[in-house]
Amino acid sequence: MQIGRSATLDTERTQARHLDSLSVGLVCMPWAVVDMPSLALSTVGPVFADCPEVAELDVVYANIAWLDHLRREADLDPAYYELIVDAEIFGIGEWVFSSYFRPEVRADETRFHDLITSSKHVAAYEAMFAAAPDFIDQMARQIIASAPDVVGLTSTFDQNIASFALAHRIKALAPHIVTVLGGANCDGVQGTAVHQARRELDYVIRGEAERAIGPLVQHIAASLADDQEGPSARVNTIAGLCWRSSDGESVSNPPGPMPVSMNLVPEPDYRHYFRDLGRSSIDGTIDVKLPLEASRGCWWGAKHHCTFCGLNGSAMTHRAKPAERVQAEASRAVLEHNVLDLVFSDNILAPDHVTRLVTDLSLPEEWDVRLFAEVKSNLSFSQLEALAQGGFTQLQPGIESLSSSVLKIMRKGVTGWQNVRFLRDCATSRIYPSWNILTGFPAESDADYVSVIESLPSLHHLTAPAGVFPIKLERFSPYFDDPDLGLTMIGPADHLVRAYEGVQEGLDDFIYVFDSEPAGIGPARFDQLRDAVAQWRSYAPTSRLVALEGAGQTLTVIDDRPAWPSGEFVLESDFEARAYRLLAKGRTVTGLTKRLSEQGIEVSEATAVDLLTEWTRAGIVFCEDDAYVALATGLRW
């Protein structure tokens, strides 16, 4: 059986091939982050290495090499790499490497260039565009010099065109090398479309790769050994694999019936990253982080898929490693690489896993580790405090909004006042929450944001969102799969259509993000919200609202927020002090008076409403609908 276009093996190479002598090279292309190893390649690398047919395995961090190339050839600071990673302009990373496929075209002759003319970094972007073809040629020759039989690439977000370019150049220089592509950009119909369109790719693995790698390697080894009666005849049984028949037609095998068990996922091997980083000009200039994988899938999405979210694709089912295994892998990684910043890659840590991790992870206190994870924003204060004590210094809670009505449209399973409580508890626990406000949801209205905007000045002492962003229509999201939910697709995102110019046409099944008809709040309200958030961001560093315990049962709330008159609220009466403490959890008027009664304080609901109204006007309580939350940090519940 032929292996796509790589069947032009010379006779001597074919005759010399043995089933146990494959050399495999895996490559991480731009625009993967350079301050962290690729979890994908660090995980599948050991799977390749464990195949009896593989004699040699190498992992090449071409993203680090690209950064070095830019410093050496274009005199560009590494900060420009980070601008593209952070997507200052959506799709720009793909556009940069499109120059490989049209080397005679200048940057300013492309349609995408119109999108960058207003950027103050336009000259740097043009320099990257010009430098990409030479880098691809150099990288391809470097890889070929190591005589690999198989080159595998991983592609997520803006790694597609760079990966196509490298595979294309390798095939042009050494057609016998077998090329394989996998990663999130190859899930479902995307993988099929990529394989059909990109002839430089012999194989594309759709979905999780762990189960496919072993039989694929076995097939490749048998094919290279010209063993027509061997395992190569079973290529059509490898779940999720895209391959080429003897007449060159693309064939896509159906996906496997079940997601990969975490028992099949090996411990990551980061050694190649640190080797390549040690050879780089950026060694010693970046704060390296290590990715950890405690689970896959989304426990919440499996029950209530957030309407805008396209993450996970075909692998939504939540699966978790035992906490003791996570602890062992984290400990070995810290000891081997002397890195204390650990980043959980999980889309979201399940509540029971949060509990097990903080009790079982138990890394030595003297290590002073800094952990990051994504969580749901309805965690209790005790859970947050346990996370902080366990070394978690930063969380991504997926807050997305402070409006309960908008959060309901999203299917987030949390309310606006709970999100405010989470932000307050993070400040008390000394955990930094990374979050954004998202807008543009069908069925949301300008009215949904009136009370939110009015309340933002009272939150200036809490961590502000990074910004306000309209949602994008993502493949695999409910909005994409079900037009009846109200988001009307226009077509593939215009930024990506421009970025793929000269590389690929017909992107309907090819890409992840699409343009849609405007929905949700109007431009004026959006600008009003954005301006209010900008003010929040400017005031946050100098704002403080904290509750301090006084003598007896008294409580003093110190207000030092620029948007409010500075002062102190001394809650001396037992009623006021207890009421404010009880509002740490967030309660309705009825719930508050009931809890006060249980503590021996009888007050009418009318009296409680008067007090809560006063506190809300003073900005020391957040009110949404019939729920009230104390805003001062320092409270525990």
Side-chain angles (χ1 to χ4, degrees), residues 118-165:
S118 61
S119 170
K120 62 182 179 180
H121 308 299
V122 61
Y125 295 149
E126 291 173 343
M128 292 180 186
F129 185 90
D134 185 53
F135 169 76
I136 290 294
D137 180 70
Q138 290 182 30
M139 183 54 57
R141 293 180 185 277
Q142 175 186 324
I143 290 170
I144 292 169
S146 64
D149 301 295
V150 181
V151 171
L153 302 111
T154 182
S155 181
T156 300
F157 298 129
D158 279 6
Q159 288 180 292
N160 255 358
I161 295 182
S163 297
F164 300 161

Side-chain angles (χ1 to χ4, degrees), residues 365-545:
E365 289 186 12
E366 61 269 21
W367 286 5
D368 192 24
V369 295
R370 295 175 294 274
L371 306 176
F372 166 87
E374 297 185 34
V375 297
K376 202 166 187 291
S377 60
N378 61 351
L379 294 181
S380 68
F381 177 76
S382 59
Q383 288 175 311
L384 278 172
E385 194 170 40
L387 286 169
Q389 292 172 353
F392 285 86
T393 58
Q394 185 174 353
L395 296 174
Q396 185 171 318
I399 288 176
E400 328 297 15
S401 181
L402 300 180
S403 165
S404 290
S405 57
V406 177
L407 289 163
K408 186 176 181 179
I409 294 170
M410 298 184 201
R411 301 177 186 166
K412 291 295 291 186
V414 70
T415 62
W417 66 263
Q418 285 176 314
N419 282 340
V420 169
R421 183 184 68 186
F422 183 90
L423 292 172
R424 183 206 64 202
D425 289 345
C426 280
T428 301
S429 304
R430 298 182 182 276
I431 290 176
Y432 182 85
S434 301
W435 67 290
N436 300 309
I437 291 179
L438 300 180
T439 66
F441 296 91
E444 76 174 6
S445 68
D446 284 11
D448 292 319
Y449 291 90
V450 173
S451 61
V452 171
I453 294 171
E454 291 175 349
S455 68
L456 291 192
S458 67
L459 309 181
H460 285 176
H461 62 296
L462 305 178
T463 302
V468 182
F469 304 98
I471 60 169
K472 290 183 170 65
L473 180 57
E474 298 179 349
R475 187 185 300 278
F476 305 121
S477 70
Y479 279 142
F480 180 87
D481 293 333
D482 185 3
D484 288 341
L485 291 176
L487 207 56
T488 303
M489 181 195 301
I490 297 174
D494 179 64
H495 280 225
L496 295 180
V497 172
R498 293 170 184 247
Y500 276 81
E501 181 185 23
V503 180
Q504 186 65 48
E505 297 181 355
L507 300 181
D508 291 63
D509 292 335
F510 214 86
I511 48 90
Y512 180 69
V513 180
F514 296 78
D515 286 336
S516 58
E517 296 288 351
I521 60 174
R525 184 73 77 201
F526 178 87
D527 290 344
Q528 188 181 7
L529 178 62
R530 183 191 57 197
D531 292 344
V533 167
Q535 184 186 60
W536 182 358
R537 290 178 57 82
S538 67
Y539 282 164
T542 57
S543 292
R544 180 176 63 145
L545 182 70

Side-chain angles (χ1 to χ4, degrees), residues 262-263 292-300 317-330 344-362 371-376 379 383-384 386-387 390 392 395:
M262 295 306 289
N263 292 329
L292 300 177
E293 187 177 37
S295 64
R296 289 184 182 177
C298 179
W299 67 271
W300 177 255
T317 303
H318 186 259
R319 299 139 283 157
K321 291 180 183 177
E324 58 271 17
R325 180 182 167 191
V326 178
Q327 192 274 345
E329 292 181 358
F344 284 93
S345 67
D346 310 43
N347 288 148
I348 182 172
L349 291 179
D352 59 335
H353 213 216
V354 169
T355 302
R356 291 201 305 271
L357 282 176
V358 298
T359 56
D360 296 344
L361 193 56
S362 301
L371 306 176
F372 166 87
E374 297 185 34
V375 297
K376 202 166 187 291
L379 294 181
Q383 288 175 311
L384 278 172
L387 286 169
F392 285 86
L395 296 174

Side-chain angles (χ1 to χ4, degrees), residues 195-212:
H195 191 254
Q196 290 174 346
R198 306 311 307 177
R199 302 293 298 184
E200 61 265 24
L201 299 171
D202 295 316
Y203 300 100
V204 170
I205 298 177
R206 300 183 299 156
E208 297 172 291
E210 282 82 1
R211 278 199 292 246

Side-chain angles (χ1 to χ4, degrees), residues 164-176:
F164 300 161
L166 183 65
H168 186 276
R169 189 57 181 155
I170 287 174
K171 280 294 190 183
L173 297 173
H176 62 271

Side-chain angles (χ1 to χ4, degrees), residues 458-633:
S458 67
L459 309 181
H460 285 176
H461 62 296
L462 305 178
T463 302
V468 182
F469 304 98
I471 60 169
K472 290 183 170 65
L473 180 57
E474 298 179 349
R475 187 185 300 278
F476 305 121
S477 70
Y479 279 142
F480 180 87
D481 293 333
D482 185 3
D484 288 341
L485 291 176
L487 207 56
T488 303
M489 181 195 301
I490 297 174
D494 179 64
H495 280 225
L496 295 180
V497 172
R498 293 170 184 247
Y500 276 81
E501 181 185 23
V503 180
Q504 186 65 48
E505 297 181 355
L507 300 181
D508 291 63
D509 292 335
F510 214 86
I511 48 90
Y512 180 69
V513 180
F514 296 78
D515 286 336
S516 58
E517 296 288 351
I521 60 174
R525 184 73 77 201
F526 178 87
D527 290 344
Q528 188 181 7
L529 178 62
R530 183 191 57 197
D531 292 344
V533 167
Q535 184 186 60
W536 182 358
R537 290 178 57 82
S538 67
Y539 282 164
T542 57
S543 292
R544 180 176 63 145
L545 182 70
V546 60
L548 301 177
E549 297 288 345
Q553 292 297 317
T554 63
L555 194 67
T556 300
V557 177
I558 299 176
D559 187 357
D560 189 15
R561 296 170 293 177
W564 296 81
S566 296
E568 294 183 359
F569 296 84
V570 181
L571 311 181
E572 294 182 299
S573 72
D574 201 24
F575 161 46
E576 291 186 345
R578 286 182 182 270
Y580 200 78
R581 290 188 184 96
L582 286 171
L583 291 179
K585 185 177 182 179
R587 300 179 190 276
T588 62
V589 173
T590 301
L592 175 62
T593 56
K594 180 180 179 181
R595 288 290 290 127
L596 286 170
S597 178
E598 291 171 355
Q599 296 183 13
I601 300 176
E602 299 293 341
V603 296
S604 67
E605 290 195 3
T607 299
V609 168
D610 289 342
L611 181 63
L612 294 175
T613 300
E614 177 187 343
W615 284 348
T616 301
R617 287 172 178 166
I620 65 173
V621 161
F622 177 87
C623 174
E624 184 187 38
D625 298 329
D626 59 349
Y628 295 83
V629 182
L631 286 176
T633 62

